[in-house]
Amino acid sequence: IEVQQLVRGAGTDDERESAGMTIAIIPLTAADEGYTFCGAPPDSPNVSWELDCAAPKHVLWDVFTRLKADGGHMEVLVEGRGPSPWPIAKDGARIMAFDINDEIVSIDPARPYAWTWRAITTKAPVFRGITGCIEILDGHSPDTCKMCLAGCFDNIAPACLIGFVTKNVLIGRPLVKAAEAEFKEFGAFPPKYTGPKPPP
């Protein structure tokens, strides 16, 4: 997929897709500019992928942002700011994600299924730093969606290896499979779902 950096909140899902701009890195809010981030990520993404999911986007988003205490991969270190329909997806939240990145999250209320992160520290042996965005878009049929990633990695390992691991081993495929299984068994609002009803 073609990936470009856009201004905060630019375009609807359809507009971004039709323009060939599936993922937009959300700018860092001024309140978070005091943090020091690790590495020297490039200005343009060097890793991108997308995965189809046979579940609604709010189900996949809930699985992606689920707290470790509830069987997920996220731990809140510092609460974020401002209104958000989601429990932890708040601008400026400091998150330990997947036991790998201590990161600051940037959230745009106009894009409730987009999560941009910047690593303060990382335990990953394959990169020194990362600015990335995951956005979940509507699928091509009802009750489907698409998970998309754009990452600006200060990479040690080849970008293609990082893309393969994040898509198939660490983030993409495991989360998609989990969301599909929950939707198949429980429907639109699985027992662990913590988001709003109806979802945005």
Side-chain angles (χ1 to χ4, degrees):
I1 57 176
E2 182 182 356
V3 182
Q4 298 182 14
Q5 288 188 330
L6 304 179
V7 297
R8 177 183 289 264
T12 63
D13 288 358
D14 290 341
E15 288 167 347
R16 287 199 297 276
E17 288 215 48
S18 65
M21 299 179 291
T22 306
I23 294 296
I25 303 291
I26 298 172
L28 188 68
T29 301
D32 299 320
E33 291 178 353
Y35 285 104
T36 299
F37 301 104
C38 60
D43 293 332
S44 299
N46 53 5
V47 172
S48 61
W49 49 256
E50 60 183 47
L51 270 175
D52 292 326
C53 178
K57 60 184 180 180
H58 69 276
V59 175
L60 178 54
W61 179 264
D62 189 69
V63 170
F64 166 52
T65 61
R66 188 168 292 163
L67 291 169
K68 285 184 67 177
D70 296 323
H73 302 281
M74 303 292 184
E75 180 181 357
V76 178
L77 305 178
V78 178
E79 290 281 346
R81 306 173 298 271
S84 172
W86 310 107
I88 72 168
K90 298 180 180 180
D91 197 54
R94 186 169 179 176
I95 303 289
M96 177 58 72
F98 295 85
D99 292 321
I100 294 175
N101 291 334
D102 177 352
E103 61 192 41
I104 296 298
V105 178
S106 297
I107 297 294
D108 178 358
R111 293 166 55 200
Y113 294 93
W115 172 289
T116 288
W117 74 99
R118 293 167 173 87
I120 298 172
T121 62
T122 183
K123 300 176 185 177
V126 294
F127 59 85
R128 303 175 191 87
I130 167 66
T131 296
C133 186
I134 285 178
E135 187 159 11
I136 300 173
L137 305 177
D138 290 323
H140 297 294
S141 59
D143 292 331
T144 67
C145 64
K146 179 167 58 177
M147 173 179 267
C148 304
L149 175 143
C152 307
F153 285 88
D154 179 2
N155 54 307
I156 299 170
C160 59
L161 175 61
I162 295 173
F164 178 85
V165 171
T166 55
K167 180 178 181 178
N168 296 289
V169 180
L170 181 63
I171 301 174
R173 205 167 300 280
L175 296 178
V176 164
K177 288 184 176 180
E180 290 176 338
E182 289 193 13
F183 179 61
K184 183 177 181 180
E185 182 174 358
F186 300 111
F189 298 105
K192 291 185 177 182
Y193 178 77
T194 57
K197 299 178 183 180

